[in-house]
Amino acid sequence: MGILSKFLGDPNERELKKIQPLVDEINKLEPKFESFSDEQLKEKSQELKKKAQKSLDDILPEAFALVREAAKRTLGQRHFDAQLVGGIVLHQGKIAEMKTGEGKTLAATTAVYLNALAGQGAHVITVNDYLSRRDTNWMGPVYHLLGLSCSCLNHEKAYLFESENLKEVTRREAYQADITYGTNNEFGFDYLRDNMAPNLETMVQRDPNFAIVDEVDSILIDEARTPLIISMPDADSTKLYEQFCQITPQLKENTDYNLDEKAQAVTLTEEGVNKVEKILGLDNIYEQGGIRYVHHLEQALRAQVMFKRDKNYVVKDGQVIIVDEFTGRLMPGRRYSDGLHQALEAKEKVNVQQESRTLASITFQNYFRMYQKLSGMTGTAITSAEEFHEVYKLEVVIIPTNKPMARKDLPDSVYKTEKGKFMAIAREVGERHQKGQPVLIGTVSIEKNELLSAYLKKAGVPHQILNAKNHEQEAKIIAQAGQKEAVTVATNMAGRGVDIVLGEGTVELGGLYVIGTERHEARRIDDQLRGRSGRQGDPGLSQFFVCLEDDLMRIFGGDRVKSMMEMLKVPEDQPIENKMVSKAIESAQGKIEGYHFDTRKHVLEYDDVMNRQRETIYKKRKNILVKDDLKKETLEMIREEIERFVQFHSQENINYKEIAEIAKSIFPVSQDEPLEKTLENLETSEKISEHLIKIAEEDYQKKEEEVEEKNMRQIEKYVLLRSMDTLWMDHLDNMDHLRDSVRLRAYGQKDPLVEYKNEGIKMFRKLLESIQATVVNTIYKITLAPVSPAEVLTKAGQSKVGRNSPCPCGSGKKFKKCCMNK
């Protein structure tokens, strides 16, 4: 205990003392609620729902007492005081460290119920689909009795609890329930999919309100190294680049496109668009091909007219290699972004590399930090308390066990070689099995599982082997691991969250004996394995068998341990008694935990840059979906775009010719005298902008009358959404490329993260400009939304079309390869 703790007392004890009066209040209410009928409990629950709108803390004792009573009636289980303490800690938005077997699932029901009363939804995050289904089925009756709905999300399926059964429902219905169980992946991917949704009806989630993360260390720390990514291989784009690179040489500058060398931009004119449509056999490229077609076409045009072979790039060994514009050096491995590199490959007739588009991504850290209130529970959190506080602002409170711990944790048994270690484990397990004592052996991988299984077979020890593949099946097997004579070999994650109950007669034999076959990189994982034994005051035993060839010792143990291996003369299956080895293990674990913490922090620092951008785009996107009328926003974009390009070409002298060409490429200009001449008479850039804005607004009004107002509103929404989505995907790729490239700047004494932030801000500004430019360049050229295949069939008077008949939409393709499945 530190000096401060001696004077101020243990901070954990202080927390628990603050909570005790609440537990006393809950206990006082028990006799009162015991006398209530089921109907009165439900009525009381409805009464608390109204009060929940003002303050949850004020109704906590009554809410917790209600849940305890409902659990007694539906499950035959009564919350211990320790479980109430755990529930209060969860409600406070903290992490409850509760040892294995202390009933975390039941403890969570109190905080879940209380926070669900406010009507904004409460989420319980589990480590696998099986546990989310199990916990919904198990705890569903408690919530049901109190008048709250409970659902669960599984991969591609969702269920609602309805009096003892799970009924399949839509994902949106599952999220509308008061309480929703599901895995971190399901919640995270649904969030990303919602932010790619074409309309409000296809969005499923509500705003993130309250979440309890079960096995919080596993989800918020171990899995936080890998971000969630939705991506797809983009095979179509390869064909498009090849197709467009044959078309672009046929286009002429100032007739079909406008080249703005100063702004490094190239824009198709109306004549150019018409020419491309004629070549492709399309009526309207913006409708039939979408913004993606136009984007690919423009990149092919840029590759054709702006990028010169042996100046901007070279072709070597069948590859397009960028030439650094400052040094003139080749930059193999680097690629132009936005699909420009693929366009150059198509132009030079080398192999066009298939793009893999990142559609959306987020880290678990940034997803879970969106919740209004976040809490978690696990048997092992205190060793990662610093990371929980720094990343999630979560405090850890250690909940005392309901009964004193009776498990014995033996010191590590250390061996020289892996072979010797496994021989010793097989011998030890054989002896315990003969006596009837159940043994659970934890390994770090499937490969080690199978290796140990071979040693046990050789020693004639019957055993079950689990590899964390079939969660449901394994949960059933691991629950039986405490039965007499049972020997279970499992990877460390197999059956996590499942209680092991001791069988008859095993208490006298010493309870469950847990063996770890090597130390894990994180102490928490070792503690979780130990925690499988000695639940609820049961006797138990745990020991780790380690060797000097284990990865932890080999990679992180240091030279002293390696040299010691050569000096030791003991037989390989005899344990080494050496304190230095135990200290080396602890030191190695500390080093690795620190290293992984830094790695996750590093991932998060980079994602924080992306996260601010993601939040901005997703907010803008949602505003587009919510609004039915986007005319004001679209006209504002048109005004800003006109002012931007006029200002850009008026910096020294006004370039009337360039301004006129850009304006004509955006909207139709029908005037008596050439536009350039008209602009020359206006003298200032402000007057030029005003004049062009006036023409643009008049043309917009004409277009609205031409396509009808309601259709124009649809066009605006479509163009804004598609422009944003297409360019945001490109931006995600660009940011990935940027991240790779800034790493090299460390060699030039520059901080890669600072460089990433600075350039990322510039790229994001450019993205917002590109979205605006794309909307403005598209909105005048698109007419009506494409006709659906069903409408095409109706108009063609064909009720049924044969699979191999020509498609009635007029594409020239067979029906089966065109509109049949649309």
Side-chain angles (χ1 to χ4, degrees), residues 18 58 69 89 320 324 533 606 755:
K18 279 190 217 163
D58 290 350
E69 187 55 37
V89 167
V320 170
D324 188 308
S533 173
Y606 277 89
E755 294 286 297

Side-chain angles (χ1 to χ4, degrees), residues 629-655:
D629 187 340
L630 293 157
K631 182 178 181 178
K632 185 183 165 192
E633 286 81 355
T634 310
L635 286 172
E636 185 59 34
M637 282 184 166
I638 292 166
R639 288 184 205 109
E640 282 180 14
E641 189 60 21
I642 290 170
E643 284 167 359
R644 189 193 64 77
F645 72 72
V646 169
Q647 202 63 42
F648 185 80
H649 288 287
S650 307
Q651 285 166 358
E652 291 160 11
N653 298 310
I654 299 175
N655 189 337

Side-chain angles (χ1 to χ4, degrees), residues 50 78 85 94 143 180 207 259 289 394 472 512 535 703:
K50 288 170 192 160
R78 178 186 176 273
V85 173
K94 295 174 183 172
Y143 306 126
T180 307
D207 289 337
L259 175 62
L394 286 170
E472 196 158 350
L512 179 65
R535 62 185 291 286
K703 182 171 180 61

Side-chain angles (χ1 to χ4, degrees), residues 333-385:
R334 292 280 300 278
R335 290 176 68 78
Y336 289 117
S337 54
D338 269 10
L340 176 61
H341 213 97
Q342 280 85 353
L344 288 168
E345 286 166 338
K347 171 189 170 183
E348 296 298 343
K349 297 184 172 52
V350 298
N351 183 41
V352 180
Q353 287 192 27
Q354 186 174 317
E355 290 176 281
S356 178
R357 307 296 311 274
T358 298
L359 306 180
S361 77
I362 193 168
T363 58
F364 280 127
Q365 289 102 321
N366 274 321
Y367 173 70
F368 283 111
R369 291 195 304 191
M370 288 192 297
Y371 278 88
Q372 293 290 316
K373 183 161 69 176
L374 181 65
S375 61
M377 51 190 187
T378 179
T380 47
I382 203 68
T383 53
S384 300

Side-chain angles (χ1 to χ4, degrees), residues 697-760:
E697 287 177 346
E698 284 169 1
D699 279 341
Y700 202 86
Q701 194 57 42
K702 282 180 202 164
K703 182 171 180 61
E704 189 170 273
E705 287 161 13
E706 182 191 308
V707 300
E708 292 180 22
E709 196 176 326
K710 68 174 184 358
N711 291 327
M712 194 63 196
R713 299 296 80 87
Q714 283 181 355
I715 288 169
E716 287 159 356
K717 187 169 277 204
Y718 170 79
V719 171
L720 281 160
L721 269 184
R722 291 301 297 150
S723 303
M724 189 173 281
D725 288 351
T726 303
L727 293 166
W728 172 244
M729 284 183 241
D730 292 336
H731 181 71
L732 289 175
D733 290 340
N734 297 351
M735 291 296 281
D736 274 348
H737 292 308
L738 173 64
R739 189 170 170 179
D740 290 339
S741 69
V742 293
R743 285 180 191 145
L744 301 171
R745 298 186 196 180
Y747 297 115
Q749 307 303 307
K750 289 182 177 178
D751 183 337
L753 182 62
V754 172
E755 294 286 297
Y756 181 75
K757 282 178 182 173
N758 293 340
E759 293 210 20

Side-chain angles (χ1 to χ4, degrees), residues 322-334:
I322 299 172
V323 175
D324 188 308
E325 61 178 307
F326 302 108
T327 64
R329 288 181 182 158
L330 299 187
M331 300 167 77
R334 292 280 300 278

